[in-house]
Amino acid sequence: MSVLTLGLNHTTAPLDLRGRFSFAPEQLGPALRGFSQRVQRSLPEAAIVSTCNRTEVYVATGAPAPELVAPTLDWLAQQGGVPSGQLREHTYVREDREAARHAFRVAAGLDSMVLGEPQILGQMKQAVRLADEAGTLGTTLHQLFQRSFSVAKEVRTSTEIGAHSISMAAASVRLAGQLFEDLSRIHVLFVGAGEMIELVATHFAARSPRGMAVANRTLERGEKLAARFGAQALRLADLPARLHEYDAVVSCTASTLPLIGLGAVERALKVRRRRPMFLVDLAVPRDIEPEVARLPDAYLYTVDDLSALVQSAGEKRQAAVQQAEAIIDAGVQSFAHWLDQRAAVPLIQALNRQADDWQAVELHRARKLLARGEAPDKVLEALAHGLAGKMLHGALAELHAAEGEERERLADTVARLFLRGSSRAPGGRGGSGR
């Protein structure tokens, strides 16, 4: 089997382009089935990992990996509504061992905007579950992802990879602290009720702001999250009329269109009489129109803007990365060995079928001899001789036909296969053989 990864992330593609290829969880199943129908080469396995920082298609197939690059790229380009040539400039391709290495690094948080961030692991597990439900997760991808999860766990427990960076949530609070002298005096609005918003709300709540509110498309879910933090719950429809009440706004939803427009922020700033607003848009695609950043009293930050804050440096960080890379190297070696073994499965199955056929022929002949009254010892000898002859026939025929160096190499292979552990091996090799 071949393994292919094709994707784009925060290092290869701008935010707005990434937004065109963002898949909501409910879109992944239909997308995977559509991809499999489109490609139809050696019944490929497929999974899609889609987060705010990346969209990656993982494929395992019996065909050579390079043959799937063009159709995978064309399919993904079609999903985002951009020309394949334009998308190609922002994508990366990893094959076989390097595809495994990439998956392991992503799961361990080494390929993230936030070094060591733990959220990607949950997002990858969700991608695997959805691929399984869609019927596109086969044995090879299952092994790839399960091994990536094991490697990520070892990295997190054996290194300090996550100890020297700050999360997007912490970065948001840090930026807000640079704009407002005292966060306990501000009102904060969270738009959305997913995992990221919950994490950001947790960080803000630790600073005891004067007031917090949660606006969500589903009021019930928003109320549930708001209750955890003693916050107020709003309907999204009420957002334009009440936006001016909040000093800080953090948004992260799965909406395909912006929820907070330029006009709404302009009106809010007018009511606020030029008191500044701090806005963080953690969504891909965007929740807040980018033009808002041009307003003099609006301070808008996107996931890409936070990248400088969430990077940390120093010897401890480098040491942790090196330790993590060593763990990943071992994981890649193990997966490559498993993949090589899988490649031999068809041959092993064919050999077993051939052995079964030989056995059936010799047993049939033995039963006929016994029915005619032949002595059992003589029948057993004939059975053993017949099986041995069938097993050796192919190897002996190849030896007789080979010449020169080819014959020497073949003789060595035959000796290792048939004389393993035998004192009769050429050159006096015995014991455990070679």
Side-chain angles (χ1 to χ4, degrees):
M1 291 290 283
S2 299
V3 180
L4 170 75
T5 303
L6 185 147
L8 64 162
N9 65 16
H10 58 284
T11 65
T12 68
L15 174 60
D16 288 330
L17 183 63
R18 297 202 308 272
R20 300 180 72 93
F21 297 95
S22 178
F23 292 86
E26 63 272 15
Q27 295 175 316
L28 285 178
L32 286 166
R33 288 188 287 269
F35 172 76
S36 295
Q37 293 170 2
R38 169 78 175 269
V39 176
Q40 289 184 334
R41 298 192 184 188
S42 301
L43 300 174
E45 305 172 24
I48 298 174
V49 175
S50 183
T51 74
C52 59
N53 287 331
R54 71 183 65 248
T55 295
E56 297 175 341
V57 183
Y58 289 82
V59 186
T61 174
E67 292 184 7
L68 285 181
V69 174
T72 302
L73 182 70
D74 291 344
W75 175 84
L76 188 59
Q78 185 181 45
Q79 300 303 300
V82 302
S84 297
Q86 178 185 346
L87 178 59
R88 186 177 293 110
E89 297 174 2
H90 298 280
T91 56
Y92 43 86
V93 175
R94 305 285 185 268
E95 299 175 12
D96 298 327
R97 292 173 66 99
E98 292 310 307
R101 184 182 305 280
H102 180 78
F104 296 169
R105 296 187 83 254
V106 170
L110 267 66
D111 195 61
S112 297
M113 184 180 289
V114 183
L115 180 69
E117 59 94 5
Q119 278 185 296
I120 184 62
L121 193 58
Q123 292 162 332
M124 290 182 76
K125 289 181 178 179
Q126 181 186 49
V128 171
R129 178 177 58 80
L130 293 172
D132 191 25
E133 291 175 359
T136 62
L137 184 73
T139 302
T140 301
L141 286 188
H142 175 78
Q143 276 288 327
L144 173 69
F145 285 114
Q146 293 305 314
R147 288 168 183 262
S148 72
F149 302 153
S150 296
V151 165
K153 181 178 180 180
E154 185 175 355
V155 167
R156 295 182 195 285
T157 56
S158 303
T159 75
E160 296 184 359
I161 197 67
H164 309 292
S165 60
I166 59 175
S167 69
M168 289 289 185
S172 299
V173 176
R174 180 176 292 188
L175 280 173
Q178 293 175 3
L179 181 62
F180 303 107
E181 291 184 3
D182 186 357
L183 294 186
S184 67
R185 300 176 61 184
I186 70 171
H187 290 81
V188 186
L189 171 66
F190 304 105
V191 183
E195 184 179 355
M196 177 59 80
I197 287 295
E198 183 178 352
L199 187 60
V200 178
T202 301
H203 280 263
F204 267 101
R207 306 295 287 271
S208 302
R210 178 172 294 176
M212 296 194 299
V214 177
N216 192 56
R217 191 177 304 277
T218 306
L219 183 60
E220 181 182 357
R221 188 173 180 187
E223 288 175 335
K224 185 177 179 180
L225 180 61
R228 283 192 54 194
F229 300 101
Q232 182 183 10
L234 304 179
R235 296 182 183 275
L236 277 183
D238 298 331
L239 200 56
R242 301 193 54 182
L243 193 59
H244 66 277
E245 300 176 18
Y246 302 98
D247 306 290
V249 179
V250 182
S251 186
C252 186
T253 76
S255 175
T256 57
L257 296 173
L259 300 175
I260 302 175
L262 175 64
V265 178
E266 282 182 318
R267 289 189 294 273
L269 288 171
K270 186 176 181 180
V271 175
R272 290 173 62 82
R273 297 180 180 180
R274 302 189 65 81
R275 283 185 293 122
M277 286 185 70
F278 171 77
L279 303 103
V280 176
D281 187 354
L282 297 175
V284 180
R286 295 176 188 260
D287 277 347
I288 303 174
E289 289 185 345
E291 292 78 9
V292 168
R294 297 203 296 262
L295 297 175
D297 296 306
Y299 298 84
L300 173 63
Y301 298 89
T302 67
V303 288
D304 288 356
D305 295 326
L306 295 178
S307 61
L309 273 179
V310 300
Q311 299 303 321
S312 60
E315 294 180 2
K316 287 186 177 180
R317 175 180 178 272
Q318 291 303 319
V321 169
Q322 290 175 3
Q323 291 173 346
E325 294 287 10
I327 294 171
I328 288 169
D329 283 343
V332 171
Q333 291 279 22
S334 176
F335 179 73
H337 179 67
W338 178 86
L339 210 55
D340 288 342
Q341 287 183 318
R342 287 281 297 171
V345 168
L347 174 60
I348 293 171
Q349 291 173 336
L351 287 172
N352 283 327
R353 287 194 298 269
Q354 180 66 81
D356 289 342
D357 291 343
W358 289 339
Q359 176 181 290
V361 169
E362 293 304 322
L363 281 174
H364 178 70
R365 181 178 300 165
R367 290 189 179 105
K368 286 177 64 177
L369 292 173
L370 288 172
R372 290 206 300 258
E374 295 285 350
D377 285 347
K378 185 177 180 181
V379 173
L380 287 174
E381 288 178 7
L383 174 64
H385 182 76
L387 282 173
K390 284 179 168 59
M391 290 173 59
L392 293 173
H393 175 73
L396 295 176
E398 291 294 326
L399 273 174
H400 287 308
E403 296 180 357
E405 292 183 0
E406 181 186 359
R407 185 170 186 173
E408 290 181 10
R409 289 194 297 269
L410 187 57
D412 187 64
T413 300
V414 170
R416 285 189 288 115
L417 290 174
F418 293 99
L419 299 178
R420 179 179 295 272
S422 171
S423 60
R424 299 179 182 179
R429 289 198 302 267
S432 60
R434 286 184 63 182

